[in-house]
Amino acid sequence: MKCLGIECTAHTFGASIVDSSGRFLSNEKASFTSSSRGMVPREVLEFHKAHRDEVVEKALVSDVDTVAVSQGPGIGTMLFEGMQYAKSISKKLDVPLVGVNHAVAHLEIGVKECRAKDAVFLYVSGGNTQVLIQGKKRYDVVGETLDIGIGNLLDKSARHLGLGFPGGPLLYELSLKGKKFVDLPYNVKGMDVCFSGLATDFKRKAESNKPQDMAFSVQEVAFDMVCEVAERALSHFEKDELVLAGGVACSKILQEKTRTMCQERGATMLVPENEFLVDNGAMIAWNGLLAYNSGQKPLSPSAEPLPHWRPDDVKATWF
Ligand code: ATP
Ligand code: FE2
């Protein structure tokens, strides 16, 4: 039994094959980058179109039993094109097409790779910032951003400093030269966070402070905020495992902060390899396999993308 997973929600076009023992036979991708600006949907779409055949060709092995595709959440134009493309592959191979929630896929790859049993999940990416636990046949969102995603804050901040996209890793490199902490708004409300005030104040204070100090400070404040809500969830739900998910979890600073927080309360911080944190086809293939094997109905030829599909609206048939 083999599943081909296709990721297409934003900057990355990815394709991967997983077999029923959970072994990845391939994990290929092409990711949009820019040296001077952020993600322009039209440019990213052209990028996907230019690279997808090559990505799938490199990933594809024979005898695939099903195809899985990211149906949402994500950017509408990319999702629409990605789904059309996945539909044509499933038709060509004459196998069913399974719709996967991109957010849930970020969590499930963490469970698999880290062998998590009963965790709190901190999902930190460009478009999303959520704290989740496994509930009854679904993930429950127990905390989240009330405005923009943490990665979006980092990308905006990087762009303001004239760095390219993705901003997270570039901001990190710059922050290593930072020495002074610039005070920025810290906004936690119970288990929720807000980043847009921080994004605005960052621009204002960048006029009178060094870029490296701004890069250092925005990471300190934003990562402390998500660390605080993750700790509150561990305490409230009496759990002792924290799984990091999403592209921002690649940050060494965030990993160190959450690891220290977990150690101090006798919990374990778990994080998969970077290739499974930033958008990738492997997580879609794996979640597709779980869904298909547990009886999720295949998509019809007229199925549409779901750009605002929340993880707590997904029936986790495999739980
Ligand atoms: P989602 O739909 O899950 O929100 P996404 O499109 O944001 O997905 P991801 O690959 O999950 O894609 O996350 C991308 C984000 O991760 C970007 O904001 C990027 O700047 C950030 N990022 C990537 N690597 C690092 C890093 N090393 N440190 C900090 N942030 C990083
Ligand atoms: Fe993502």
Side-chain angles (χ1 to χ4, degrees):
M1 170 81 198
K2 290 184 205 131
C3 175
L4 163 68
I6 294 182
E7 162 56 28
C8 56
T9 58
H11 46 82
T12 293
F13 192 93
S16 166
I17 307 270
V18 69
D19 69 15
S20 42
S21 68
R23 202 160 51 100
F24 292 110
L25 308 181
S26 59
N27 188 18
E28 299 291 333
K29 68 175 172 179
S31 295
F32 174 86
T33 59
S34 164
S35 56
S36 56
R37 49 205 275 200
M39 261 202 292
V40 180
R42 189 175 31 81
E43 288 178 11
V44 182
L45 185 61
E46 289 313 312
F47 178 87
H48 280 202
K49 285 184 179 172
H51 292 90
R52 62 195 184 186
D53 287 344
E54 192 189 327
V55 169
V56 170
E57 245 165 61
K58 277 200 211 153
L60 202 52
V61 291
S62 56
D63 305 330
V64 167
D65 301 275
T66 182
V67 177
V69 64
S70 269
Q71 199 178 356
I75 304 171
T77 42
M78 259 69 90
L79 283 173
F80 182 80
E81 267 296 325
M83 277 188 70
Q84 292 297 107
Y85 190 71
K87 281 178 192 174
S88 71
I89 294 178
S90 91
K91 198 169 165 196
K92 202 165 82 190
L93 300 177
D94 195 23
V95 296
L97 180 66
V98 177
V100 164
N101 180 289
H102 175 92
V104 171
H106 269 298
L107 309 178
E108 283 297 337
I109 196 80
V111 173
K112 174 184 183 295
E113 291 298 304
C114 305
R115 297 191 175 86
K117 293 193 178 57
D118 184 23
V120 165
F121 296 82
L122 179 60
Y123 167 38
V124 279
S125 62
N128 291 285
T129 305
Q130 288 173 332
V131 184
L132 309 98
I133 55 170
Q134 287 182 334
K136 281 202 182 110
K137 288 276 175 205
R138 63 165 204 178
Y139 280 94
D140 290 332
V141 177
V142 297
E144 61 188 317
T145 178
L146 301 178
D147 44 43
I148 59 173
I150 189 169
N152 195 281
L153 164 77
L154 300 178
D155 294 336
K156 271 181 200 285
S157 304
R159 196 161 72 233
H160 190 76
L161 298 179
L163 308 172
F165 178 87
L170 301 169
L171 212 57
Y172 169 73
E173 288 303 323
L174 180 62
S175 74
L176 297 176
K177 295 188 219 124
K179 290 195 179 71
K180 187 182 123 194
F181 178 72
V182 179
D183 203 19
L184 293 166
Y186 183 100
N187 211 340
V188 170
K189 298 177 182 185
M191 216 90 90
D192 297 327
V193 289
C194 302
F195 293 115
S196 60
L198 176 45
T200 306
D201 206 41
F202 180 95
K203 287 188 187 164
R204 199 168 60 81
K205 296 203 170 131
E207 282 168 24
S208 53
N209 287 282
K210 289 189 181 144
Q212 57 266 39
D213 293 334
M214 292 307 298
F216 163 68
S217 306
V218 70
Q219 292 180 118
E220 281 300 302
V221 175
F223 294 159
D224 280 351
M225 283 167 59
V226 291
C227 200
E228 180 186 329
V229 291
E231 179 167 26
R232 188 159 297 128
L234 286 168
S235 166
H236 185 75
F237 296 101
E238 298 180 0
K239 309 238 186 238
D240 57 14
E241 273 180 349
L242 178 70
V243 172
L244 301 190
V248 178
C250 295
S251 165
K252 293 197 188 85
I253 303 175
L254 179 62
Q255 291 186 6
E256 199 181 303
K257 280 184 187 292
T258 48
R259 191 175 292 115
T260 305
M261 177 272 282
C262 283
Q263 274 166 1
E264 282 174 1
R265 50 178 303 114
T268 315
M269 190 281 268
L270 302 168
V271 60
E273 293 296 323
N274 284 3
E275 69 168 309
F276 299 122
L277 287 171
V278 287
D279 289 356
N280 61 88
M283 67 183 194
I284 306 303
W286 175 239
N287 202 167
L289 191 80
L290 289 176
Y292 183 72
N293 282 343
S294 57
Q296 184 176 305
K297 241 175 80 191
L299 292 176
S300 77
S302 61
E304 292 191 351
L306 303 168
H308 305 292
W309 196 13
R310 287 178 59 86
D312 44 3
D313 281 336
V314 175
K315 190 168 175 217
T317 45
W318 58 93
F319 271 16

